[in-house]
Amino acid sequence: MKVRVLKMVLTTFMAIGILSGCSSANDVPDDYASNEGYSIAEESAKKDDDVQVQQTSKENVKDNIKVAVLYLSDPAEGSGYSYTHDLGIQGMQTNLGLSSEQIVRKVVDDSDSDATRKAIEECIQDGCNIIFATSWGYMETVAQMAEEYPDIYFSHGTGNMSNGKNFNNYFGRIYQARYLSGIVAGMKTQSNMIGYVAAQDSSNSEVTGGIDAFALGVESVNADAKVYVAVTNSWYDPEKEEEKSRMLLDMGCDVMTQHCDTPYPQTLAQEYGVYGIGYNSDMSKETPDACLTSVIWNWSAYYTSAVKSIINGTWDGSNYFGGMQEGLVQITRLADFCAEGTQEKVDEATQAILSGNFNVFDGVMETNTGEKIGVEGGTLDDATITGGINWYYRNVIVVE
């Protein structure tokens, strides 16, 4: 019932918006033109009434919104992937003035499609009309349920599926921040061995693109350094993340980074007396003596715009792919124990990215198998970056 109410209110609001935009401010309506008693004051009063109706409609939509969020792990753990998404949800809630009762959180294993379906159905039964699913593995189940529930808005974090109607996907140009963090790592390493704990292998462009951007950043300041990648084959597996981190550290990696949920690569780097680059959230709070910087997301930039578009009646089902320009991705302030000159190199690259003169995946790039990717003077397009990077850059070594 709440879903139908939201749709009805939204439809009414959109209709009002269309009607109020049909004539210019200088046009006099026909019925007014034939009315001898018509005055500017009456026209102004009518416009004021229209504005009041629109504002009321928006408030009705907002009051009937209920947002559900699916997480891989408990965001209350205070670090990592799910925690960062929840910070974005909290930011959206504050920005739009939603109550706590309008937010529902579910922790679900994204590899379990039955559990995912059950969680979403429970949210819908509870009155939720917007579903944010934050991890790749939820995608196929969400795609199916978007067709089954056309009155529910589904928005999926990462991935490549959408229907252009009530189901979109959202992600960002995290590779921009990854590149900057590669500069930090390349300037700090003494062993020229940099460790990278990865959730998925090269079949996943999201993870692989981040690794390659990082490797490009490393090479830009240190042509001798190598990036050693250990894959867990899971978006969230604390035991494997710890195991792979120890393996890389035992090999001699003196800077550690990651695309995985837990902070193990960072906490173990500090335990081993070396350095780390965090991911998702600022991990300097866990590892103040090791964290050089962290690659972070400001998810509230997207969550606020998505929910606001539903309130305003401007949701169009399009996908979202923001970056540094939109404030969605960045790196945290550099630690004072970064290598001398690091800030200057990072600032230079940041300016090049923001100006549009540098897009990370530019020109001809060589893979670690000797293949050539890209063209001179060109840059990879978004479709390739999000779905076609299934190769490793030349300074990347995968270890088992």
Side-chain angles (χ1 to χ4, degrees):
M1 179 62 71
K2 289 185 178 179
V3 175
R4 293 196 185 95
V5 170
L6 177 67
K7 284 287 185 180
M8 290 171 63
V9 172
L10 182 55
T11 302
T12 301
F13 167 66
M14 292 176 70
I16 292 169
I18 292 169
L19 290 172
S20 64
C22 288
S23 60
S24 71
N26 295 322
D27 291 337
V28 178
D30 291 339
D31 56 342
Y32 285 153
S34 62
N35 186 341
E36 295 180 355
Y38 169 73
S39 68
I40 297 296
E42 288 173 344
E43 180 184 14
S44 177
K46 181 180 183 299
K47 288 181 178 179
D48 288 344
D49 288 343
D50 287 345
V51 170
Q52 184 63 46
V53 169
Q54 291 183 43
Q55 291 174 341
T56 301
S57 298
K58 287 184 182 181
E59 289 303 315
N60 287 341
V61 173
K62 189 175 82 170
D63 291 344
N64 282 282
I65 276 175
K66 197 166 186 179
V67 177
V69 195
L70 305 189
Y71 295 117
L72 278 174
S73 60
D74 186 352
E77 292 174 0
S79 185
Y81 185 78
S82 296
Y83 168 72
T84 304
H85 274 280
D86 200 56
L87 289 181
I89 292 294
Q90 293 176 44
M92 175 274 294
Q93 180 183 344
T94 299
N95 291 340
L96 300 181
L98 302 186
S99 68
S100 297
E101 290 71 28
Q102 290 176 276
I103 311 293
V104 175
R105 294 168 172 85
K106 295 278 189 180
V107 177
V108 190
D109 180 353
D110 74 338
S111 66
D112 189 334
S113 59
D114 290 338
T116 301
R117 173 174 285 275
K118 180 182 177 183
I120 293 174
E121 286 176 342
E122 288 174 351
C123 291
I124 294 172
Q125 290 167 7
D126 194 26
C128 294
N129 34 51
I130 305 172
I131 312 288
F132 290 113
T134 64
S135 183
W136 185 289
Y138 301 129
M139 181 170 58
E140 292 191 5
T141 302
V142 169
Q144 294 167 7
M145 298 191 73
E147 298 302 317
E148 297 170 23
Y149 294 92
D151 289 338
I152 305 294
Y153 296 93
F154 291 87
S155 193
H156 189 277
T158 77
N160 51 24
M161 297 178 72
S162 60
N163 66 12
K165 298 177 292 185
N166 67 321
F167 168 43
N168 77 340
N169 71 64
Y170 61 97
F171 198 56
R173 303 178 191 278
I174 196 64
Y175 61 88
Q176 296 173 333
R178 290 284 194 193
Y179 181 89
L180 299 181
S181 71
I183 293 173
V184 177
M187 294 187 70
K188 186 63 178 179
T189 181
Q190 297 297 307
S191 68
N192 285 330
M193 297 179 67
I194 299 169
Y196 200 120
V197 179
Q200 303 293 334
D201 62 19
S202 62
S203 64
N204 185 280
S205 298
E206 175 191 329
V207 177
T208 310
I211 292 169
D212 288 342
F214 177 79
L216 282 158
V218 169
E219 187 185 68
S220 73
V221 294
N222 185 344
D224 297 324
K226 303 294 183 185
V227 179
Y228 292 84
V229 174
V231 179
T232 66
N233 290 307
S234 174
W235 293 109
Y236 177 67
D237 190 328
E239 289 184 8
K240 283 188 178 179
E241 290 170 28
E242 179 180 9
E243 173 194 332
K244 299 296 185 179
S245 298
R246 289 192 184 279
M247 180 183 72
L248 292 169
L249 288 161
D250 288 339
M251 286 172 49
C253 294
D254 61 355
V255 179
M256 293 286 292
T257 193
Q258 65 186 84
H259 189 142
C260 62
D261 202 354
T262 73
Y264 271 124
Q266 310 310 308
T267 56
L268 290 173
Q270 179 160 290
E271 180 183 309
Y272 276 66
V274 294
Y275 299 97
I277 292 173
Y279 180 49
N280 289 312
S281 60
D282 184 353
M283 292 184 170
S284 63
K285 62 183 184 298
E286 288 96 349
T287 57
D289 300 325
C291 185
L292 299 167
T293 188
S294 293
V295 174
I296 63 170
W297 295 88
N298 174 25
W299 285 115
S300 67
Y302 172 69
Y303 289 130
T304 299
S305 67
V307 177
K308 188 175 182 180
S309 75
I310 294 171
I311 294 172
N312 291 341
T314 57
W315 166 279
D316 61 4
S318 60
N319 298 330
Y320 178 89
F321 195 50
M324 289 171 58
Q325 287 276 10
E326 293 78 14
L328 185 73
V329 303
Q330 65 185 89
I331 62 172
T332 59
R333 185 175 62 85
L334 303 186
D336 56 13
F337 45 80
C338 284
E340 185 176 352
T342 301
Q343 187 68 65
E344 289 75 12
K345 288 290 186 182
V346 168
D347 289 346
E348 180 183 330
T350 298
Q351 184 55 42
I353 291 171
L354 292 176
S355 69
N357 294 327
F358 176 62
N359 300 296
V360 180
F361 297 112
D362 291 343
V364 179
M365 294 162 283
E366 184 180 349
T367 74
N368 64 357
T369 60
E371 297 176 67
K372 296 298 196 305
I373 304 294
V375 296
E376 194 67 38
T379 190
L380 298 188
D381 59 28
D382 287 348
T384 301
I385 292 171
T386 56
I389 298 184
N390 305 115
W391 45 270
Y392 291 117
Y393 191 60
R394 62 188 175 190
N395 58 348
V396 174
I397 299 170
V398 179
V399 295
E400 300 296 334

